[in-house]
Amino acid sequence: MAFVSCTPENAADNDTEIDIIGVPAIGADPHNTWNLQQNQWLGPNLHAEIPSARVLLYDHLTVEERAIELKPTDHPDSKAATKAYANVRDNLAKFGIEEWTDRFLETIRGSRNIALLRRRPIIFLCHSTGGIIVKQALTKTSLEKEARKTIGKEVNLAAICLGITFFSTPHHGSRVLAGLEFATPIKNKLNLKFEMSEYLLGQFALQNSHLELLNHKFAAASLGIKIWNYYETRDTQLKVLVSEEGGGEVQTKVNLLVVDEKSAVMTTTDVLIEEEEPRPINTTHVGTARFADDKSQYSDFRQDLKTYIQSTSAQDRAAHHALTSSIMTDIKVDVHQFYQMDVTADAIAVKVWSVQPTLQDFLEHGPEECLKTRLHPPAENGHRANGEISKPYVRIRNASEVSAPAALERPITPTITVSTPQIIVAPMDKGGSRTPPLDPESSILEAPTIIMPKTIHTRRPPLNPHQHQSDPDSVGHLAPASVTPQTTSAALERNPEHPRLSTREPRPQRARTYQAPSKSTDRFRWIHVPYTHPGFVASVLKTISHEKENMDLHTKLLSPQVWSSQHNRSRHASSHARFVRSACKCLLPKTSEHHSDELLSPTSSIGDAQLALYLPYLHWDSFDQLRKRADVIAKRGILPHARPVDREIAKGKSVECKLIWQYLHSKWPLHTRRTLDQYGYPSLRNTTVRDGDQVIYKQTRNPILSEGVTGKEPSMHNIKAILHAARAPGPRYSKVKTMSDGAAKVLIVDQLWIFVVDDETIVTFCSPKEKTDDNQEQGDVRHNLYHDVNGDYARECEDCFDFAALAVFHAVKALLDYTNDPNLQVFRIFEEYISELTEQQTKSFKEFRDNHRYRDPRDLDVDRLPQYVDNRDDLNALLELRDIEDELTTIHKLFTEQHKTIQDMTKQYEELNNRYRRGMHGSYILREVNHCVDGYLEQVHGMKESAEVALKAFEKLLDMKQKQANIVEAHLAREQTEVAADQSRSVMIFTIFTIIFLPLSFFASVFGMNIQEWSGVGTNIDFYHAFVYMGCISLAVIVVALLVAFNRYTRRVIQKIWKVTAKPITNLFMCIPSRRVHGLVHYWDVEHGHVQESPVQARERSRSRPGRTPHRGGYEMHIFGE
C-alpha cells in the first residue's frame, strides 16, 4: 500500500497546489489501469496539461505483496514461492471494505505528515471497486470526532476533497462482481493480483445494506464536492465455466455489463447526491478508466477538470465543509424510549427514557447506541467520549450489605464509595481505535469508613404499621439493636412473632432501584428531528433500518407514491413554494384484503402497519426573525452554489440560517417556515408587502400615534390614531431594527411530518422556532408533546399510532390553546380588531349624518366642505377589513385542510383498530381533535361574517359619501355658473360703456396731443411721426404679450431669467416682511378655524403667545384641496 508514482517526483514541490490521486480497483495494477493506447494518461501527460497538479497513483498492495509471484514447478524456489503466495492470499482474504479503507487512510496520512501538505486539496479518480474504498474513507474521516474538530491535526478527506471521478463504480452492488462464478474472469479482465475473496465478494452483492448506508453517509459528507460519474454502456466479454447436462464443465464466453447504469449512478429516490453528474461512455468496464474508443470524452474531461481546478478554492471548500459539520453537530435529535413500569401489583405506568444526541452521532451510532450511553453512564477513568474528565459520583452502600461477622466486630455504618461515571464510547486515537484510560488507579476512590452519629437515622420508617421503630438514641436504624436475653425472652412472651425481637440474624435489605428500560419493558421509541429537510428524512429512516437490519422498513415510506409525489414545487425558485401537501398514507401489511391492489393503495413491505402523515399547522414567529430569514434567503438566492460561505452565517449561532445557506437550492431543498400569506398564495414570487400587512403584526407592534410619539396601547376612543398606526408603513424586511417592529408577532404555517416505521419506532419532523430572549416555548409542538407524555398524569399511549394521534392533537392546538401570551391570542386579536372597525363604522355614519343637517342647499357651510368629502379614514378601515377577510379565508383554508386529513386518518385508524388492535386510544384523540377543528372553523366563519358585514357597511358609506360629493360638486358648479352669469352681465355693461366712451376718449386724446398741426409750433413733433411711434410701441407690447400667453418656450425662458436675476434680489429684500405676513396669516386662520393644527404645533404656539389656547376642534391638519 503506497503511492507507486508521483509526478513531479518531489513530494513537497511548491509549484504544485493540488493532488490528483488515481485509485484503481482493489488489487489491480496502478499503472495498467490508466493506460490509453499504450500511453498512461494519468501521469506526466495530465501534469503537463495542469501544471499546478501533482499526480499520484495508489496501489492497494504493499511492495512485498505486489512482488510475490508464483514460479514454475521446476524452479528450486517454487515451493517457497507458492507457500508465500498462499500465505499472502489467505491473509488478504480476511480483508473487507473496512480493512482496505484503513490501509488507504494510513497511506494518505503517511504521505501528509508535513503540516503544509495536510491542507493540500485532493481530487480522486477511482475505478471500479476503488471508488467504494474512497467513499468509505471520506465518510469515515468526516465522522471522526478528532477530524471534525480541526483539520490541522488529522487529515480530513471530506474537508480537503474538491472532486471525485468515478469510473464504473458499483455504488449499489453488482451481480457480476459479487458472483463466485465470475471471480476468475474478473481477476483476469481487471488484471488483479489475487482473486477477490468470498467475504469481499459478498460486500458487493446487490441490495447490500452496507453499500446503501454508505451512500447515505456519502451524500451528507460530499456536500460541495464535484462528482463526475462515468459508467459503461458496452458489454464486457468474460470467459466462464458452464456445466453441461451430461456432466463436466466447458468454458464459454458471455457478454455482460459489469456495472450497469442503475448501479453506477448513486442518486436514487431516497439518496440524492447534490453535485453528481452522470456521464455515459461507449466502452467496456475496463475501458472507462482509459477513455478507450472515446477521445471526445477524454478531451472534455481534461478541460472540465482544468476549469474546475482554476475556479475552485481550497479555502472555500474547507469553509463549506466546516459549515456542514457545524450543522450536523448543532442539530440535536430527541430519542425517547417509552417503557412500562410496575408501580403496584395492579397498576402499570408508562415512562420515558430520553437522550439528545447530535444528528451526527445519531446517524453514526443509531438510536439504540445513543440510549445506551445514558443507560450505562460510568466510563473508564472518568474520561468521557469527548476527552473531558467527568465529575465523580457518590454511591452510598447500605450498612445491611456488610457481612454478619464484620458487623459483630465493629459498629455498622454506611460506607461511601466515590467513583467516576462511565461512558461506553471512549475517545478515539488517530487510527480509529479507542484510547486506553490514562490512570487505572484513579477510576474508583474508596473513602474511609465514617462513624454515623446516633441522632442520624439512615433508613425510612417501616412500611409495616405493626413494626416498631428503634430508639432514637440508638446507633441508628441500620445497626443491630443490643438486646439482652431477658428483654428478648420477655418480648417473645408478649409477641413471639415480632420481627425486631426474632432470634434470627437481621435479613439484609436490598436497596430500592429505579426501573430502567429493557427489552422486556420497552413499548415504542419516539425520534424527533428538528427542521423539515427532506434530506434528513431519508438519512434518519435509513439509519433506523440499518440498526434493525431490515432495509425494507423505509422502502415503501420513501416510495414515490408515498413521499416524492406529495412534494409541491413551483416553477419559480421561491422557497415558500416548496412544501409537502397534506395527506395521510397508511400502509397495511399485504395480508389485508382491502389493500391488495398496490397500485391504488400502497402496502407495507414488512409485517407491521406503517403510517406517513403530512400536516400543516398554525404557529408564530417574531417579525425580527422573519426579517432575518428573508435576508438570508435573498442573499443565498443570488448564488448558484453554497460556496463561498457567508462568514457571518458560518460564525453565527442560528442553525436555521446555516440550513438555508446549505440546502436552499439543493436537489432536495429545505422547506422553510412559511408566513400565512406564503401558505395561502404559494404562487406569488414575493409576499413582502402582504406579510407586512398581517393583522397580528400590526396589532402587536408599538403603533405610531403621531409624529414622534409612540405608544404600546393606544386609547380605544381614538379610532383614527389606531387606523393611521395600522396603515403606517413599517420597515418590513429592512435590515434596520426599530423599536416598533422588534417584538412584533407574525403568523407562520409550519409542517409536521410523522413516519411510523414499525410497531416500535415513530419519527417526527417539524421546524422549531429559533431560540431568542423571549418565550420561544410558547406553542412549541415538541415541548408540549414531551411534557404531555412525561409525567404522573400523562396521556396513555399504548403504541406508535396512539402517539401519532397525540402529535396531531398538539400540532392543531399548539398556538390557539397552549399559549398564554396576550399577543398570541389569535382569535381574540381578530375579534377585537373587527370590533374596533365596527365602532369606527358607527362613528363614521354618525359623522356623515351630522355633516348633512340642512334642508336647503343654500345653507351648505362652505367651511365644512372638507368633512363632507374626506373619506381617508373610511378607506383605511375598508382596506383593514379586506386584509382581515383575506387572512381569515387563509386560516379557514388551513383548518379545512387539517379537517380533511384528520378525517382520513380517523378512517385509517378504524381499520387498524378492527384488524390489528392498534391505535385504540388514538381514535379517541382524533375524535377530540376533529371536534376541536370544527370549533375553530365555526369561530373563523363567525369572524368572517362579522368582517363581511362591516366591509359591506363601509362600502355603502363610501358610496353614499361619493354620491354626496357629487351633489356638493353639482351645487358648487351651479353656484359657479350663477357667478359666471353675473360676471358676464357686468362685462356686457362695461362693454357698452366702453363702446360709448372709447371713441370720445380716443378723439380727445388725439386732439389733445401737442403736435405741429394743432399747436402751430415748428419744434413739436408732427402728426405722422407721432402715429409711427405709437403704432410700433403698441405692436411690440402686443406681440410680447401674445408670446407669453400662448408660447411655452417663451414662458420657460422668462422663468429662467427671473430665477437667475430678479428672484434672488427680490427674496433678499422681501424675506423678513414675508415671514411676518405669513405668521399673521397663519395665526388668523387658526383663530378662525380655517386651519387645524397638530398638538405639537399648538403647544409651540401657546408657548410663544401666553394666554392663548389652541383651537378646540384641531388635532390634525386638514386643508381643503390639499
Side-chain angles (χ1 to χ4, degrees):
M1 53 175 187
F3 291 117
V4 297
S5 176
C6 178
T7 306
E9 296 182 359
N10 187 7
D13 191 358
N14 296 328
D15 295 336
T16 60
E17 301 175 354
I18 189 173
D19 289 347
I20 300 178
I21 301 178
V23 182
I26 299 176
D29 184 80
H31 295 282
N32 188 38
T33 301
W34 316 102
N35 283 342
L36 177 62
Q37 296 178 355
Q38 305 300 326
N39 187 12
Q40 184 178 322
W41 69 270
L42 186 58
N45 294 335
L46 186 62
H47 175 69
E49 184 76 17
I50 308 176
S52 62
R54 182 179 62 165
V55 182
L56 302 172
L57 298 182
Y58 174 75
D59 190 0
H60 295 277
L61 303 179
T62 61
V63 178
E64 294 79 8
E65 293 170 349
R66 178 64 66 179
I68 292 178
E69 296 288 346
L70 291 175
K71 296 183 179 180
T73 55
D74 56 351
H75 196 277
D77 297 332
S78 175
K79 293 184 179 180
T82 304
K83 183 178 179 180
Y85 186 88
N87 291 336
V88 172
R89 182 190 58 194
D90 296 341
N91 192 25
L92 295 179
K94 303 176 184 179
F95 279 28
I97 295 177
E98 189 70 24
E99 288 74 17
W100 289 112
T101 302
D102 292 339
R103 277 193 168 193
F104 177 71
L105 287 176
E106 183 180 351
T107 305
I108 294 292
R109 289 165 179 164
S111 64
R112 290 174 173 255
N113 51 4
I114 305 175
L116 182 63
L117 296 178
R118 289 181 189 147
R119 298 177 181 270
R120 182 193 288 266
I122 300 176
I123 292 181
F124 291 103
L125 277 67
C126 318
H127 179 238
S128 190
T129 55
I132 304 298
I133 303 302
V134 172
K135 287 170 54 180
Q136 181 75 12
L138 191 140
T139 55
K140 187 174 183 179
T141 55
S142 65
L143 295 176
E144 289 179 356
K145 295 183 178 180
E146 293 297 331
R148 291 204 304 265
K149 291 180 181 179
T150 178
I151 307 177
K153 297 181 179 180
E154 292 290 339
V155 178
N156 190 348
L157 294 184
I160 61 178
C161 180
L162 298 184
I164 304 176
T165 303
F166 295 106
F167 296 97
S168 296
T169 300
H171 299 290
H172 302 283
S174 171
R175 184 175 60 86
V176 177
L177 292 177
L180 292 175
E181 66 275 16
F182 299 107
T184 303
I186 288 296
K187 172 184 176 297
N188 298 330
K189 186 62 66 173
L190 296 180
N191 195 17
L192 305 182
K193 182 68 176 181
F194 304 96
E195 288 186 4
M196 289 192 294
S197 63
E198 185 175 354
Y199 172 62
L200 185 60
L201 291 175
Q203 293 186 332
F204 294 107
L206 293 176
Q207 298 179 353
N208 191 332
S209 61
H210 180 271
L211 292 180
E212 296 300 329
L213 184 62
L214 178 61
N215 291 333
H216 276 278
K217 293 181 179 180
F218 180 75
S222 63
L223 288 174
I225 299 178
K226 179 63 178 178
I227 297 175
W228 293 278
N229 200 340
Y230 289 92
Y231 59 91
E232 63 204 72
T233 59
R234 188 187 302 174
D235 293 342
T236 300
Q237 190 177 77
L238 301 175
K239 295 180 180 181
V240 297
L241 293 177
V242 178
S243 300
E244 295 183 341
E245 296 181 358
E249 297 176 347
V250 63
Q251 191 178 45
T252 184
K253 297 180 181 180
V254 294
N255 296 327
L256 296 173
L257 286 175
V258 179
V259 179
D260 60 3
E261 179 182 358
K262 292 183 179 180
S263 179
V265 179
M266 285 182 287
T267 301
T268 59
T269 56
D270 56 346
V271 179
L272 288 178
I273 307 300
E274 291 298 330
E275 299 191 29
E276 181 184 18
E277 184 179 348
R279 292 183 176 183
I281 182 171
N282 187 21
T283 185
T284 60
H285 182 76
V286 178
T288 53
R290 304 172 180 175
F291 291 99
D293 302 330
D294 202 337
K295 295 183 179 180
S296 61
Q297 288 274 16
Y298 174 62
S299 301
D300 295 341
F301 173 72
R302 286 191 308 172
Q303 184 63 33
D304 294 343
L305 185 63
K306 181 179 179 181
T307 305
Y308 181 74
I309 292 175
Q310 293 175 352
S311 61
T312 305
S313 171
Q315 291 77 11
D316 293 344
R317 170 58 193 151
H320 186 268
H321 177 75
L323 177 65
T324 305
S325 301
S326 175
I327 292 174
M328 301 299 287
T329 54
D330 290 344
I331 296 179
K332 303 296 182 181
V333 179
D334 293 325
V335 182
H336 307 280
Q337 180 66 53
F338 289 78
Y339 65 99
Q340 64 183 15
M341 176 183 290
D342 297 333
V343 180
T344 61
D346 299 330
I348 295 177
V350 177
K351 294 297 181 180
V352 183
W353 191 270
S354 304
V355 67
Q356 198 177 43
T358 63
L359 180 60
Q360 184 70 61
D361 292 336
F362 178 86
L363 297 178
E364 181 180 357
H365 302 293
E368 187 71 27
E369 294 296 329
C370 294
L371 287 170
K372 287 182 179 179
T373 58
R374 183 184 175 186
L375 189 60
H376 304 286
E380 295 181 358
N381 303 334
H383 292 271
R384 295 187 182 273
N386 56 4
E388 299 178 357
I389 306 298
S390 60
K391 297 181 180 179
Y393 72 94
V394 178
R395 180 176 67 86
I396 299 179
R397 187 171 60 196
N398 209 329
S400 60
E401 300 178 12
V402 184
S403 61
L408 295 175
E409 294 176 1
R410 57 182 176 84
I412 306 302
T413 57
T415 301
I416 300 178
T417 302
V418 182
S419 62
T420 53
Q422 181 181 0
I423 305 298
I424 292 178
V425 182
M428 285 186 174
D429 58 5
K430 296 182 179 180
S433 62
R434 303 293 175 186
T435 57
L438 298 178
D439 186 7
E441 299 293 332
S442 62
S443 60
I444 297 180
L445 303 177
E446 292 291 343
T449 303
I450 301 174
I451 306 298
M452 300 294 295
K454 292 183 178 181
T455 57
I456 296 180
H457 303 280
T458 59
R459 196 177 67 184
R460 296 179 181 176
L463 298 177
N464 189 355
H466 300 289
Q467 184 177 352
H468 298 284
Q469 299 183 13
S470 62
D471 186 6
D473 294 332
S474 64
V475 293
H477 293 298
L478 296 179
S482 300
V483 184
T484 61
Q486 294 82 4
T487 306
T488 305
S489 302
L492 288 174
E493 291 178 359
R494 294 190 301 267
N495 188 5
E497 298 180 359
H498 198 286
R500 288 290 304 273
L501 301 178
S502 177
T503 57
R504 296 177 298 176
E505 290 185 2
R507 193 174 185 179
Q509 294 186 359
R510 186 178 180 181
R512 292 181 176 88
T513 60
Y514 183 82
Q515 182 179 347
S518 61
K519 292 293 183 181
S520 59
T521 61
D522 289 349
R523 286 288 186 88
F524 63 92
R525 184 178 298 159
W526 169 37
I527 300 172
H528 175 73
V529 182
Y531 304 104
T532 50
H533 176 43
F536 293 161
V537 174
S539 300
V540 170
L541 297 184
K542 198 83 171 185
T543 302
I544 297 172
S545 301
H546 178 72
E547 184 184 71
K548 293 179 178 291
E549 297 181 353
N550 186 0
M551 302 306 293
D552 293 332
L553 290 177
H554 70 281
T555 53
K556 288 298 181 67
L557 290 176
L558 298 180
S559 63
Q561 190 175 359
V562 178
W563 174 237
S564 60
S565 62
Q566 300 297 324
H567 286 250
N568 180 82
R569 289 192 181 185
S570 179
R571 190 170 62 88
H572 54 83
S574 299
S575 60
H576 61 267
R578 305 161 185 164
F579 58 91
V580 181
R581 288 183 286 270
S582 179
C584 178
K585 303 287 186 179
C586 187
L587 286 70
L588 300 181
K590 295 181 180 180
T591 56
S592 175
E593 298 177 0
H594 298 279
H595 288 261
S596 59
D597 191 359
E598 190 173 353
L599 295 177
L600 299 178
S601 182
T603 60
S604 175
S605 57
I606 59 177
D608 299 336
Q610 295 178 304
L611 179 73
L613 176 71
Y614 319 112
L615 183 74
Y617 65 94
L618 197 63
H619 210 256
W620 69 281
D621 202 352
S622 63
F623 192 81
D624 190 26
Q625 288 297 124
L626 176 64
R627 181 168 49 212
K628 291 180 180 179
R629 188 183 307 114
D631 291 340
V632 175
I633 292 175
K635 188 184 298 184
R636 177 63 180 86
I638 302 175
L639 302 176
H641 302 285
R643 301 185 305 267
V645 180
D646 188 86
R647 292 185 177 180
E648 296 181 0
I649 295 175
K651 295 180 180 179
K653 298 181 180 180
S654 176
V655 182
E656 184 181 14
C657 293
K658 295 179 181 179
L659 283 170
I660 291 174
W661 191 269
Q662 182 70 282
Y663 301 109
L664 184 64
H665 296 309
S666 61
K667 291 184 179 180
W668 279 112
L670 175 71
H671 291 193
T672 58
R673 307 185 73 194
R674 296 175 292 168
T675 63
L676 190 64
D677 290 286
Q678 289 175 349
Y679 165 78
Y681 302 94
S683 299
L684 289 179
R685 293 179 179 269
N686 191 357
T687 60
T688 302
V689 178
R690 301 183 68 91
D691 295 337
D693 282 338
Q694 271 199 28
V695 174
I696 301 297
Y697 160 69
K698 290 182 290 190
Q699 293 298 302
T700 54
R701 70 170 181 170
N702 295 334
I704 303 174
L705 297 181
S706 60
E707 183 179 0
V709 182
T710 60
K712 293 184 178 180
E713 296 182 357
S715 57
M716 293 299 299
H717 66 275
N718 195 357
I719 305 297
K720 291 183 179 180
I722 296 175
L723 292 177
H724 292 327
R727 302 307 300 183
R732 304 274 170 86
Y733 289 174
S734 175
K735 295 183 180 180
V736 182
K737 183 177 180 180
T738 62
M739 292 295 293
S740 61
D741 290 337
K745 309 292 191 300
V746 289
L747 289 180
I748 297 292
V749 177
D750 284 329
Q751 299 181 83
L752 174 65
W753 301 343
I754 301 177
F755 298 93
V756 177
V757 181
D758 54 12
D759 290 343
E760 300 176 352
T761 308
I762 180 173
V763 186
T764 59
F765 297 83
C766 66
S767 297
K769 181 185 178 297
E770 281 286 320
K771 292 183 178 180
T772 55
D773 296 335
D774 57 355
N775 48 353
Q776 69 273 3
E777 293 184 352
Q778 290 279 343
D780 185 68
V781 176
R782 179 260 170 202
H783 179 268
N784 297 336
L785 186 58
Y786 174 75
H787 286 281
D788 194 6
V789 298
N790 186 28
D792 294 334
Y793 298 95
R795 289 180 179 265
E796 188 172 0
C797 293
E798 295 290 340
D799 50 38
C800 296
F801 294 94
D802 291 343
F803 189 84
L806 188 61
V808 172
F809 175 85
H810 283 282
V812 172
K813 298 170 69 69
L815 179 63
L816 301 179
D817 291 344
Y818 289 156
T819 53
N820 51 18
D821 189 354
N823 290 333
L824 295 177
Q825 303 294 328
V826 179
F827 286 167
R828 184 177 300 177
I829 291 175
F830 273 93
E831 290 173 352
E832 290 178 356
Y833 199 30
I834 293 174
S835 301
E836 294 171 5
L837 295 176
T838 305
E839 183 180 354
Q840 169 65 13
Q841 166 203 330
T842 305
K843 184 178 179 181
S844 298
F845 271 104
K846 290 183 179 180
E847 289 180 355
F848 181 75
R849 179 195 61 189
D850 296 338
N851 290 335
H852 298 83
R853 290 182 176 178
Y854 57 88
R855 297 181 180 179
D856 192 347
R858 290 175 295 180
D859 298 334
L860 182 65
D861 189 0
V862 180
D863 296 334
R864 301 186 65 182
L865 284 178
Q867 300 182 16
Y868 296 156
V869 297
D870 185 16
N871 56 2
R872 182 177 58 181
D873 295 335
D874 299 329
L875 183 59
N876 288 339
L878 179 66
L879 295 178
E880 292 299 315
L881 286 170
R882 286 188 178 276
D883 291 340
I884 292 174
E885 185 181 15
D886 183 68
E887 292 182 23
L888 289 176
T889 302
T890 305
I891 296 176
H892 189 275
K893 172 187 173 183
L894 174 64
F895 289 147
T896 304
E897 195 171 343
Q898 289 180 349
H899 188 270
K900 181 180 180 301
T901 305
I902 294 172
Q903 281 186 338
D904 295 341
M905 190 175 180
T906 305
K907 294 179 182 179
Q908 302 287 352
Y909 269 51
E910 291 178 358
E911 190 168 357
L912 287 172
N913 297 339
N914 298 332
R915 292 181 172 272
Y916 305 99
R917 309 298 296 174
R918 294 286 186 269
M920 303 299 294
H921 298 282
S923 298
Y924 297 102
I925 297 175
L926 290 178
R927 294 190 189 98
E928 184 179 354
V929 177
N930 205 1
H931 179 72
C932 180
V933 175
D934 290 337
Y936 294 158
L937 288 173
E938 291 180 1
Q939 285 184 274
V940 174
H941 183 69
M943 288 186 293
K944 281 185 63 179
E945 288 184 348
S946 301
E948 289 175 358
V949 171
L951 182 64
K952 292 180 180 179
F954 271 110
E955 290 177 351
K956 291 182 180 179
L957 178 61
L958 290 174
D959 183 63
M960 294 169 62
K961 282 193 173 184
Q962 183 62 38
K963 292 179 180 179
Q964 183 62 30
N966 294 336
I967 295 174
V968 172
E969 184 179 359
H971 174 70
L972 294 177
R974 187 183 63 182
E975 289 185 350
Q976 293 294 331
T977 303
E978 294 178 355
V979 171
D982 295 339
Q983 291 178 354
S984 63
R985 284 194 295 268
S986 301
V987 171
M988 183 183 63
I989 295 173
F990 178 76
T991 304
I992 293 174
F993 276 91
T994 302
I995 293 173
I996 295 174
F997 292 100
L998 181 61
L1000 299 177
S1001 60
F1002 174 75
F1003 284 108
S1005 60
V1006 169
F1007 286 104
M1009 289 188 299
N1010 192 13
I1011 57 178
Q1012 292 181 2
E1013 283 77 5
W1014 313 131
S1015 62
V1017 180
T1019 57
N1020 293 337
I1021 189 172
D1022 57 358
F1023 188 81
Y1024 173 77
H1025 290 89
F1027 271 93
V1028 169
Y1029 292 150
M1030 288 189 299
C1032 294
I1033 294 173
S1034 299
L1035 182 62
V1037 172
I1038 292 172
V1039 170
V1040 171
L1042 292 176
L1043 289 176
V1044 173
F1046 299 102
N1047 192 293
R1048 183 178 301 176
Y1049 179 76
T1050 305
R1051 289 197 302 270
R1052 290 180 179 178
V1053 172
I1054 294 176
Q1055 288 176 357
K1056 290 181 179 180
I1057 295 174
W1058 171 262
K1059 290 181 180 180
V1060 173
T1061 58
K1063 189 174 181 179
I1065 301 175
T1066 305
N1067 292 339
L1068 179 63
F1069 289 98
M1070 298 296 293
C1071 180
I1072 298 178
S1074 63
R1075 291 182 178 178
R1076 292 178 178 176
V1077 172
H1078 177 73
L1080 293 175
V1081 171
H1082 177 72
Y1083 174 75
W1084 174 266
D1085 292 338
V1086 171
E1087 290 294 331
H1088 290 80
H1090 297 297
V1091 176
Q1092 297 179 357
E1093 58 185 355
S1094 64
V1096 178
Q1097 294 174 344
R1099 286 196 298 268
E1100 294 296 333
R1101 188 169 58 84
S1102 62
R1103 292 174 184 174
S1104 61
R1105 298 182 61 86
R1108 298 286 184 176
T1109 58
H1111 190 261
R1112 57 184 177 87
Y1115 289 97
E1116 294 180 84
M1117 193 171 188
H1118 297 285
I1119 302 177
F1120 179 65
E1122 185 181 0

